[in-house]
Amino acid sequence: MKKLVFALLFIQLFTFSAILAARPENKAITEFIDSLISLQHKPGEPGGALAVIMGEKILYQKTFGMMDIEQNVEVSSTTLFDLASMAKHFTAYAVLLLEEEGIIDLDEDIRTYMPDLPEYEQRITTRNLLQHTSGIASTDWLRLIADLPLDMEWSHQDEIDLIKKYQQLNFPPNTEFIYSNGGYSILASIVESVTGEYFPDFVNSRIFGPLGMKHSLIYTGHHLSGKDIAKGYARSGSEFRFVSSVNDFSYGSGNIYSNLDDMVLWGRNLLSPVIGSKEMAQRMLTRYNTLENGDTIGYTYGLYVREHRGIKMANHSGGMPGFRSLITIFPDEDLLIVSML
């Protein structure tokens, strides 16, 4: 997984350098990115999609390789990919929309919104969940501890029920940063609690629908048959074998499926918001949180923020069996790059 994610990051960072050097020569940028992809990918192999957006302009938008090797079907701009953890910044965006409307207070105790959660030793806020500083354990680890196979069918209610059974915090809130899928699952349930809406319906009505992301969906069950969805593969020697990542139906921390056409629309919204304010988007791209010991963490609202060659960069990757994704934003350059494999 690390090798593939690093390959995506390699392409994205070098694409960034090429764009700064070649701007505004789109042909040079296209040729440069095509050459980088050819170094990482061979014809007939499982493929992917890549888009580069600068402001309102699409500098690059292409697909490559196969979405279904057995049926000899190539990836297209409408092929759906599992975004895995890259979905977290969508969940954060949903929470921030509700904060802007005064419905959620990020510094309020999460039990205000979900009183059936355990009475933890210390007060946990919605902000703690957003920034992985809550101390609530990641549910993938809890499932391993409970001897629950990661390939078994798993609903969002299963996810929340497991969290409720484990009342002990791994650390006092805001004293450490440790990535927690469980925290983002709770965030989705908080959205449901305060709005009375099913989280997938809320995201569809407040984000996907208004932006015209008509193919994107949150996967919550067996409704993917007939969809233009990429099959997941893993390399086995010189060949590829099919692997499934469709047994987990929980949401908030992952399980968004999207395609290149829709992600271009989403990318444009992050650079120049149609939904949510410019100030809200800027908060996602700005490091600010200080732990109790004075350290500032690099995770904001579903995104890691740091500098690359002195330029601010925000990104988040995602990985599930057979799928890898990465979104990278250079806010000062008004530049966004998204790739899905």
Side-chain angles (χ1 to χ4, degrees):
M1 183 180 86
K2 287 183 179 179
K3 183 177 179 181
L4 285 171
V5 171
F6 286 150
L8 289 174
L9 186 58
F10 168 83
I11 290 173
Q12 293 201 1
L13 293 182
F14 274 80
T15 298
F16 164 70
S17 301
I19 288 169
L20 293 186
R23 184 171 40 180
E25 298 296 331
N26 278 28
K27 183 178 179 181
I29 293 169
T30 298
E31 291 175 351
F32 184 82
I33 298 174
D34 285 345
S35 68
L36 287 176
I37 291 175
S38 68
L39 290 173
Q40 302 290 331
H41 181 270
K42 296 179 182 178
E45 292 184 347
L50 176 68
V52 180
I53 306 162
M54 180 171 277
E56 287 295 310
K57 190 174 184 181
I58 300 173
L59 301 183
Y60 186 93
Q61 183 177 356
K62 280 191 179 183
T63 61
F64 56 93
M66 313 302 293
M67 63 163 276
D68 188 327
I69 294 176
E70 292 77 15
Q71 299 299 319
N72 197 36
V73 180
E74 295 182 343
V75 175
S76 73
S77 63
T78 60
T79 299
L80 292 169
F81 290 87
D82 186 349
L83 302 184
S85 285
M86 199 172 92
K88 285 185 174 65
H89 75 288
F90 283 96
T91 300
Y93 210 85
V95 171
L96 290 179
L97 285 174
L98 293 172
E99 186 210 19
E100 280 203 328
E101 296 169 10
I103 297 173
I104 289 179
D105 182 343
L106 299 190
D107 297 310
E108 183 60 76
D109 191 317
I110 58 174
R111 297 188 72 253
T112 300
Y113 307 120
M114 292 183 64
D116 56 341
L117 286 172
E119 292 189 22
Y120 296 109
E121 303 167 42
Q122 287 94 8
R123 182 174 179 272
I124 298 171
T125 68
T126 303
R127 192 184 305 279
N128 293 145
L129 297 178
L130 285 164
Q131 301 186 311
H132 300 294
T133 60
S134 69
I136 292 175
S138 191
T139 41
D140 38 0
W141 287 108
L142 291 181
R143 289 174 68 178
L144 290 172
I145 293 170
D147 198 25
L148 298 171
L150 294 180
D151 58 354
M152 68 181 287
E153 286 199 5
W154 190 255
S155 70
H156 187 72
Q157 192 59 53
D158 291 331
E159 183 96 344
I160 297 301
D161 287 344
L162 180 61
I163 291 169
K164 290 178 181 178
K165 290 177 182 177
Y166 191 80
Q167 299 185 23
Q168 182 178 345
L169 297 179
N170 285 347
F171 53 85
N174 209 45
T175 62
E176 293 187 50
F177 165 83
I178 296 182
Y179 195 88
S180 173
N181 285 316
Y184 268 72
S185 297
I186 296 174
L187 286 170
S189 290
I190 286 176
V191 170
E192 292 180 331
S193 177
V194 301
T195 64
E197 287 188 67
Y198 186 39
F199 182 73
D201 290 343
F202 178 86
V203 172
N204 190 57
S205 65
R206 297 293 304 273
I207 297 176
F208 294 160
L211 290 178
M213 299 171 66
K214 58 184 179 181
H215 300 289
S216 298
L217 57 91
I218 296 179
Y219 176 52
T220 59
H222 304 285
H223 60 266
L224 292 179
S225 59
K227 298 283 187 180
D228 185 14
I229 179 171
K231 293 175 68 174
Y233 293 92
R235 185 183 291 275
S236 179
S238 60
E239 299 182 345
F240 291 90
R241 59 179 177 83
F242 170 70
V243 292
S244 174
S245 64
V246 294
N247 290 329
D248 188 341
F249 309 145
S250 63
Y251 46 81
S253 64
N255 259 333
I256 288 181
Y257 281 70
S258 191
N259 60 31
L260 192 61
D261 287 344
D262 283 4
M263 289 305 293
V264 166
L265 296 172
W266 174 242
R268 282 176 159 169
N269 184 72
L270 288 178
L271 295 176
S272 183
V274 175
I275 299 168
S277 65
K278 185 70 173 178
E279 292 74 21
M280 188 181 97
Q282 285 300 316
R283 288 170 60 200
M284 295 181 69
L285 303 171
T286 304
R287 295 174 62 171
Y288 79 95
N289 190 45
T290 303
L291 299 178
E292 296 298 321
N293 65 2
D295 290 346
T296 299
I297 65 172
Y299 200 95
T300 60
Y301 304 91
L303 293 170
Y304 291 93
V305 178
R306 60 184 179 88
E307 287 195 352
H308 170 69
R309 299 185 180 181
I311 304 295
K312 182 190 288 187
M313 178 181 76
N315 66 2
H316 207 295
S317 62
M320 286 291 287
F323 294 96
R324 304 291 179 263
S325 60
L326 184 63
I327 187 168
T328 302
I329 308 166
F330 298 95
D332 295 337
E333 301 296 329
D334 210 21
L335 175 67
L336 182 144
I337 309 170
V338 61
S339 49
M340 301 172 287
L341 294 175

